[in-house]
């Protein structure tokens, strides 16, 4: 039974949205993208009747009551957190809801659409963030990867419109699924307003808070094989060997999702020079970025890499992998390094540690580059895709 955040006369257009990634206190990539785009759409289009489909009770969160939009929230159980429950949710619950609420357009921001909806003739739109389950299958559980490979391939072919979060992913989706790119549009991620440069006093507070008072490099993300954290740790150790008097620390923020004996061994060798902080909530990330000498992102594969724009918006110089979509996102604003080249990463760390002028130049370039990414612009791309034919 739906819980309504507002009531108003029936609108001419009903849009349904898969919001099962909106989980209080646990927003990550797809969840943040969904939340930020919805914020913009609901503010801009209060004339639409918006139907948000959750897989668990959202409680008081995610009401969007300040938008003035017509929002109806529906809980379609059970909570879908495993492949066979995803199947039930997407193939049974969503089709029922689309017909029951007479939805005109359905947008699924996680790449998963139902195979068929008998008796319903609305428009299907989906956002595909990346194809890591195709190109990096070893980094995710086998059953999860198999489900995504099967269902995303079908969704891509069934969708009336596809959105991706980078041009690189757009090209990848078109090539992998043999599609014309005519109905694929790019809706980039963007930094939230909370990511702002720190004052010198705030930077010192961040060093005290995160690195025991030392200058530090940082990484933010999950400790998965494709994030390639081991290369960064090994490069930092090489940097410290070459610069034994350098006071710098390496700060790693994120959760370890997979066993990685090589990374574990590298961390053991690093001792207290590498600090692992675990998950850092969003309200503290801006301080972590803003206080760092540089943000380091050695990932082998990304659909967008949102920490890159968060760091740049925070006034934090960026050293990024040169693979996948990262050059597209960073542009000329940061140092790009082969993700497998440990000596090159060590050299990049040393360059920024020893050259304050280069550090400031990359900081300024990053601030300018971050301005190229806007949730308002990205939401406009999504809105265009949602329009009925």
């Amino acid at each position: 039974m739906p819980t309504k955040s507002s009531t108003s006369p029936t609108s001419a257009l009903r849009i349904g949205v898969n919001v099962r990634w909106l989980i209080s206190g646990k927003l990550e990539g797809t969840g943040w993208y969904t939340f930020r785009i919805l914020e913009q759409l609901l503010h801009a289009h209060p004339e639409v009747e918006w139907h948000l489909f959750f897989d668990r009770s959202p409680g008081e969160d995610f009401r969007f009551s300040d938008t003035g939009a017509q929002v109806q929230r529906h809980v379609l159980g059970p909570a879908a957190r495993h492949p066979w429950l995803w199947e039930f949710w997407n193939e049974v619950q969503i089709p029922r809801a689309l017909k029951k609420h007479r939805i005109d357009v359905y947008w699924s921001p996680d790449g998963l659409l139902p195979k068929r909806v008998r008796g319903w003739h609305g428009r299907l739109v989906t956002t595909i963030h990346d194809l890591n389950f195709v190109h990096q299958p070893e980094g995710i559980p086998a059953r999860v990867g198999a489900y995504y490979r099967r269902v995303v391939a079908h969704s891509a072919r069934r969708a009336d419109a596809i959105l991706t979060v980078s041009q690189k992913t757009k090209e990848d989706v078109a090539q992998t699924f043999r599609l014309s790119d005519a109905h694929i549009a790019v809706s980039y991620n963007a930094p939230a307003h909370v990511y702002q440069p720190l004052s010198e006093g705030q930077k010192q507070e961040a060093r005290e808070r995160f690195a025991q008072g030392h200058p530090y490099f940082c990484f933010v993300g999950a400790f998965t094989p494709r994030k390639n954290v081991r290369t960064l740790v090994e490069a930092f150790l090489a940097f410290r060997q070459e610069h034994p008097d350098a006071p710098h620390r390496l700060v790693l923020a994120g959760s370890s999702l997979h066993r990685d004996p090589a990374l574990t061994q590298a961390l053991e060798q690093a001792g207290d020079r590498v600090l692992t902080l675990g998950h850092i909530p969003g309200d503290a990330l801006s301080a972590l970025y803003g206080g760092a000498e540089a943000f380091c992102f050695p990932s082998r594969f990304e659909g967008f890499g949102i920490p890159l724009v968060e760091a740049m918006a925070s006034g934090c110089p960026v050293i990024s992998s040169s693979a996948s979509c990262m050059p597209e996102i960073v542009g000329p604003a940061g140092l790009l390094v082969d993700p497998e080249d440990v000596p090159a990463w060590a050299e990049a760390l040393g360059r920024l540690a020893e050259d304050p002028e280069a550090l400031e130049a990359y900081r300024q370039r990053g601030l300018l580059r971050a301005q190229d990414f806007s949730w308002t612009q990205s939401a406009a791309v999504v809105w265009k895709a949602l329009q009925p034919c």
Side-chain angles (χ1 to χ4, degrees), residues 52-194:
L52 309 185
F53 301 125
F54 295 85
D55 70 342
R56 65 191 66 197
S57 175
E60 294 302 309
D61 294 329
F62 310 119
R63 285 193 173 276
F64 299 100
S65 55
D66 62 339
T67 63
Q70 308 170 59
V71 180
Q72 296 189 31
R73 305 188 304 169
H74 310 274
V75 178
L76 313 178
R81 287 292 167 259
H82 301 285
W84 69 271
L85 289 174
W86 297 339
E87 191 89 29
F88 178 76
W89 202 79
N90 282 304
E91 304 301 338
V92 177
Q93 295 291 65
I94 287 297
R96 285 176 179 171
L98 296 181
K99 290 185 286 186
K100 177 180 178 180
H101 302 291
R102 295 178 294 156
I103 301 301
D104 299 303
V105 184
Y106 176 60
W107 174 42
S108 181
D110 65 1
L112 305 177
L113 293 172
K115 293 178 184 177
R116 62 184 68 84
V117 187
R118 291 187 177 90
W120 181 79
H121 305 288
R123 182 172 174 82
L124 290 171
V125 180
T126 193
T127 300
I128 299 175
H129 294 262
D130 62 56
L131 298 182
N132 69 300
F133 46 87
V134 174
H135 304 302
Q136 305 277 335
E138 68 279 1
I140 55 178
R143 186 176 298 178
V144 172
Y147 177 84
Y148 269 89
R149 285 190 293 274
R150 173 171 58 85
V151 178
V152 173
H154 184 277
S155 298
R157 298 185 180 107
R158 176 147 167 66
D160 296 291
I162 298 171
L163 298 156
T164 65
V165 293
S166 66
Q167 181 66 30
K168 186 71 172 180
T169 301
K170 174 180 176 176
E171 295 168 359
D172 194 10
V173 168
Q175 180 177 359
T176 300
F177 301 125
R178 300 181 181 179
L179 301 173
S180 165
D181 65 3
H183 72 311
I184 307 175
V186 178
S187 172
Y188 286 108
N189 283 291
H193 295 304
V194 68

Side-chain angles (χ1 to χ4, degrees), residues 3-316:
T3 60
K4 298 184 180 181
S5 61
S6 63
T7 58
S8 61
T10 302
S11 63
L13 180 64
R14 296 183 181 89
I15 297 179
V17 184
N18 165 9
V19 293
R20 69 186 184 91
W21 295 100
L22 297 188
I23 304 173
S24 180
K26 296 181 181 179
L27 288 183
E28 295 185 352
T30 301
W32 278 117
Y33 172 86
T34 304
F35 180 72
R36 296 301 182 192
I37 295 291
L38 267 179
E39 272 188 322
Q40 297 290 328
L41 291 177
L42 296 181
H43 275 289
H45 301 286
E47 76 281 2
V48 171
E49 187 176 291
W50 297 92
H51 291 257
L52 309 185
F53 301 125
F54 295 85
D55 70 342
R56 65 191 66 197
S57 175
E60 294 302 309
D61 294 329
F62 310 119
R63 285 193 173 276
F64 299 100
S65 55
D66 62 339
T67 63
Q70 308 170 59
V71 180
Q72 296 189 31
R73 305 188 304 169
H74 310 274
V75 178
L76 313 178
R81 287 292 167 259
H82 301 285
W84 69 271
L85 289 174
W86 297 339
E87 191 89 29
F88 178 76
W89 202 79
N90 282 304
E91 304 301 338
V92 177
Q93 295 291 65
I94 287 297
R96 285 176 179 171
L98 296 181
K99 290 185 286 186
K100 177 180 178 180
H101 302 291
R102 295 178 294 156
I103 301 301
D104 299 303
V105 184
Y106 176 60
W107 174 42
S108 181
D110 65 1
L112 305 177
L113 293 172
K115 293 178 184 177
R116 62 184 68 84
V117 187
R118 291 187 177 90
W120 181 79
H121 305 288
R123 182 172 174 82
L124 290 171
V125 180
T126 193
T127 300
I128 299 175
H129 294 262
D130 62 56
L131 298 182
N132 69 300
F133 46 87
V134 174
H135 304 302
Q136 305 277 335
E138 68 279 1
I140 55 178
R143 186 176 298 178
V144 172
Y147 177 84
Y148 269 89
R149 285 190 293 274
R150 173 171 58 85
V151 178
V152 173
H154 184 277
S155 298
R157 298 185 180 107
R158 176 147 167 66
D160 296 291
I162 298 171
L163 298 156
T164 65
V165 293
S166 66
Q167 181 66 30
K168 186 71 172 180
T169 301
K170 174 180 176 176
E171 295 168 359
D172 194 10
V173 168
Q175 180 177 359
T176 300
F177 301 125
R178 300 181 181 179
L179 301 173
S180 165
D181 65 3
H183 72 311
I184 307 175
V186 178
S187 172
Y188 286 108
N189 283 291
H193 295 304
V194 68
Y195 296 105
Q196 299 286 336
L198 303 184
S199 67
E200 288 303 316
Q202 290 171 322
K203 289 181 181 180
Q204 182 57 41
E205 290 176 4
R207 288 191 285 269
E208 296 291 344
R209 180 178 181 182
F210 300 115
Q212 302 166 347
H214 298 284
Y216 64 92
F217 302 105
C218 73
F219 164 85
V220 175
F223 295 2
T224 61
R226 73 181 173 102
K227 298 293 184 181
N228 195 28
V229 182
R230 181 184 63 170
T231 286
L232 177 57
V233 173
E234 292 176 350
F236 180 73
L237 293 179
F239 155 73
R240 286 299 302 266
Q241 286 181 337
E242 295 169 8
H243 304 83
D245 295 329
H248 296 70
R249 299 293 188 266
L250 175 62
V251 175
L252 307 177
S255 303
S256 179
L257 302 181
H258 301 273
R259 292 183 68 254
D260 188 340
L263 174 58
T264 299
Q265 183 178 4
L267 289 172
E268 290 174 350
Q269 293 175 352
D272 63 1
R273 293 171 292 182
V274 177
L275 307 172
T276 55
L277 304 183
H279 176 73
I280 299 293
D283 58 355
L285 273 180
S286 59
L288 178 66
Y289 290 129
E293 297 287 281
F295 170 68
C296 307
F297 201 60
S299 179
R300 297 185 176 103
F301 185 87
E302 295 289 327
F304 180 88
I306 195 166
L308 291 168
V309 293
E310 292 174 343
M312 290 189 290
S314 301
C316 182

